[in-house]
Amino acid sequence: AAVKLEDEFLRGLRKLCDENGIVLIFDEVITGFRVGMGGYQGLSGIIPDIATMGKAIANGFPVAIVTGKDEIMNRFNTNPAGDVSFQGTYNAHPVCLAAGIATMDILEKEPVHSYIFELGDYFRKGMQEIFDRLKIEATMIGFGSISAPIFASGKFRNQEEIMRGDAAKSVAFRRAMIETGHYFAPAEPKRLVVSYSHTKADIDETLQAAETVLRKL
């Protein structure tokens, strides 16, 4: 979902894995490149042994990567001394990799992350103001460009706490937003993500539509 794990929790995971000889794996398929060039591990400073990334790497082209520490990655038979099979139908597909290189070039040269973080904050604050003004028990959660409305109050630190939200209300809201021409995936608690192509005007129009929908609901 859109829960931002606390750094203290991640530090605890790293400590437990180190103490017990366990490989720590981060799923950064959503956060990799989306929250920063180094993924969330780059922001938190808590480095896993292996990380998976996808989605944002090539701006929609189908590509994913597995990253990791030398002693683990060198076990793959892509290294002559490796003893673990690493196979795939489209490994290193040139079109997808070209898209990835082009995407990373823009991410490095333009203020993509600062822009989408600012836009994400603007969207969450605007939605929360509407919820509060209409006295609707709902909370906008998220981090950076990633957001989700949860129809419940309080802090949400894990999946179990998110499940306190009223899923029926959320899906009804999302479906009504689709009818206004704003695609809010009609499932709970699917993420709503702004992109570098979105503008503040897009967000303002979305907030206006959301208020209209919420008043009717």
Side-chain angles (χ1 to χ4, degrees):
V3 171
K4 177 179 176 290
L5 296 177
E6 297 175 2
D7 290 353
E8 183 180 4
F9 172 77
L10 296 176
R11 279 194 294 271
L13 279 182
R14 179 72 274 179
K15 184 172 182 289
L16 284 172
C17 289
D18 289 342
E19 290 174 349
N20 294 280
I22 298 170
V23 172
L24 177 60
I25 303 173
F26 278 8
D27 175 358
E28 294 228 44
V29 168
I30 292 169
T31 53
F33 294 92
R34 193 188 301 275
V35 301
M37 291 302 289
Y40 189 74
Q41 59 192 276
L43 299 181
S44 67
I46 300 148
I47 309 303
D49 301 305
I50 296 177
T52 57
M53 297 184 183
K55 295 182 184 285
I57 296 170
N59 198 36
F61 278 76
V63 59
I65 59 175
V66 178
T67 68
K69 295 181 176 178
D70 284 350
E71 61 266 28
I72 296 175
M73 299 301 288
N74 284 334
R75 293 290 300 272
F76 289 129
N77 62 356
T78 47
N79 171 33
D83 59 351
V84 176
S85 178
F86 187 90
Q87 301 181 40
T89 305
Y90 298 110
N91 285 357
H93 191 286
V95 173
C96 296
L97 293 186
I101 291 169
T103 300
M104 284 187 272
D105 189 50
I106 292 173
L107 290 174
E108 289 179 331
K109 292 179 178 177
E110 299 186 24
V112 176
H113 294 106
S114 60
Y115 178 84
I116 60 176
F117 267 59
E118 183 180 342
L119 210 58
D121 283 340
Y122 183 73
F123 175 52
R124 284 186 292 275
K125 287 175 182 176
M127 284 294 300
Q128 193 62 56
E129 190 275 330
I130 293 170
F131 288 143
D132 294 345
R133 180 157 41 82
L134 299 182
K135 294 182 170 52
I136 295 171
E137 188 180 2
T139 307
M140 283 298 290
I141 66 171
F143 178 69
S145 60
I146 307 165
S147 305
I150 305 298
F151 280 74
S153 300
K155 289 192 173 183
F156 302 91
R157 297 165 298 179
N158 53 49
Q159 184 70 17
E160 287 72 24
E161 291 181 358
I162 277 184
M163 298 311 291
R164 290 193 290 104
D166 189 325
K169 280 185 181 178
S170 181
V171 172
F173 168 60
R174 290 165 178 269
R175 289 189 181 281
M177 286 299 292
I178 292 174
E179 291 176 5
T180 70
H182 300 80
Y183 185 71
F184 281 34
E188 174 74 356
K190 291 288 286 184
R191 295 165 297 277
L192 309 174
V193 185
V194 297
S195 76
Y196 194 44
S197 296
H198 286 116
T199 65
K200 191 175 179 182
D202 292 327
I203 303 301
D204 286 336
E205 189 205 1
T206 303
L207 293 173
Q208 185 176 19
E211 179 161 357
T212 300
V213 164
L214 288 167
R215 285 184 181 279
K216 291 179 180 178
L217 287 178

